[in-house]
Amino acid sequence: MRKFALSASFAFKLRKMDKFKKLTSTIVPLPLENVDTDQILPARFLKATSKEGFGENLFRDWRYDKNGNENPDFVLNNPDYSGQILVTGKNFGSGSSREHAAWAIAGYGFRIVVSSFFADIFKGNAFNNGILPVVVSPVFLANVFETAKQNPKITLTVDLEKQLITNDTNGESEYFEINAHKKDCLLQGLDDIDYVLSRKDKIEEYEKSDNRGS
């Protein structure tokens, strides 16, 4: 059996994402369901391979008209709302598996996306780009949207270590589930590749002790 080996061409200096522990921020409410990846980032913007610049085209066809003018009715163009937390309706990130959608969300400046349900592939892409997808109950989500209508400066506090999200306006909190491995990666600021590279010594030790084949 051919053994797994880490290529010597890898630079083992970790390319860490920002660590995530706890964040309090105002929110951008987007109470729309079934938002797919083509609406998050239209396909015509997928040519680039670098992660830079994608935030400029987040929700492009909703933010701008055909002439490139801002749509004043879209929430990203509403000066009353801003922050590092995007709150969305059910089934966010459905459609194609393009990781560029997560790049656009991160590039715009969001660290957290809150919804009552995420498409699985989008959720994985979000984690790997330093974005925390927080799944809440429909009741909690509806309450946040309602609070935001009354108070555009509503803040949410998300504590990753405690897995707790709190509506700071009314004090309501809810526990959220998260994969233990993904939680650890966010706390350390590691994507999946960095996580493997951070265990280089253990992998090489296993390779040396494995006598099953060459």
Side-chain angles (χ1 to χ4, degrees):
M1 180 182 294
R2 190 171 184 176
K3 294 191 291 184
F4 171 80
L6 291 176
S7 170
S9 65
F10 275 110
F12 289 107
K13 181 179 179 180
L14 300 183
R15 305 179 307 282
K16 288 190 176 183
M17 303 181 296
D18 291 336
K19 294 180 180 180
F20 189 108
K21 291 187 177 180
K22 185 176 182 179
L23 175 67
T24 296
S25 173
T26 50
I27 73 168
V28 175
L30 184 67
L32 299 176
E33 296 186 354
N34 304 312
V35 176
D36 64 36
T37 51
D38 193 55
Q39 292 163 329
I40 297 170
L41 185 75
R44 64 186 182 278
F45 297 111
L46 302 184
K47 295 180 181 179
T49 55
S50 167
K51 296 183 180 181
E52 301 300 320
F54 280 91
E56 299 173 5
N57 294 309
L58 176 66
F59 300 122
R60 177 76 188 197
D61 292 341
W62 291 344
R63 287 168 68 186
Y64 303 98
D65 63 22
K66 294 181 179 179
N67 297 316
N69 300 311
E70 287 189 354
N71 172 10
D73 296 325
F74 188 61
V75 66
L76 291 192
N77 299 326
N78 185 338
D80 290 338
Y81 294 103
S82 63
Q84 294 179 280
I85 301 177
L86 175 65
V87 182
T88 74
K90 181 181 179 181
N91 194 29
F92 186 79
S94 57
S96 73
S97 61
R98 68 187 66 162
E99 187 175 6
H100 304 70
W103 294 0
I105 290 171
Y108 189 82
F110 290 118
R111 293 298 316 275
I112 300 170
V113 183
V114 179
S115 178
S116 58
F117 181 82
F118 291 98
D120 286 341
I121 293 178
F122 171 82
K123 187 189 292 186
N125 288 337
F127 279 127
N128 215 35
N129 284 278
I131 302 165
L132 173 59
V134 176
V135 180
V136 297
S137 68
V139 172
F140 186 90
L141 185 65
N143 181 267
V144 171
F145 283 137
E146 184 59 34
T147 305
K149 285 182 182 179
Q150 305 299 323
N151 175 21
K153 299 306 178 185
I154 173 184
T155 62
L156 298 180
T157 295
V158 177
D159 188 325
L160 177 57
E161 290 182 308
K162 295 180 179 179
Q163 296 177 221
L164 196 68
I165 181 171
T166 302
N167 181 336
D168 298 316
T169 299
N170 58 25
E172 291 187 3
S173 296
E174 187 167 278
Y175 178 85
F176 60 90
E177 299 286 348
I178 183 172
N179 176 277
H181 168 67
K182 294 301 185 181
K183 177 180 179 178
D184 185 50
C185 284
L186 283 175
L187 289 171
Q188 295 187 62
L190 303 175
D191 63 20
D192 284 345
I193 294 175
D194 293 334
Y195 182 84
V196 172
L197 297 183
S198 72
R199 282 144 180 77
K200 168 182 174 281
D201 292 341
K202 291 183 179 180
I203 294 173
E204 291 184 340
E205 182 180 348
Y206 172 79
E207 287 293 292
K208 291 178 182 178
S209 63
D210 183 13
N211 297 315
R212 291 177 298 174
S214 58

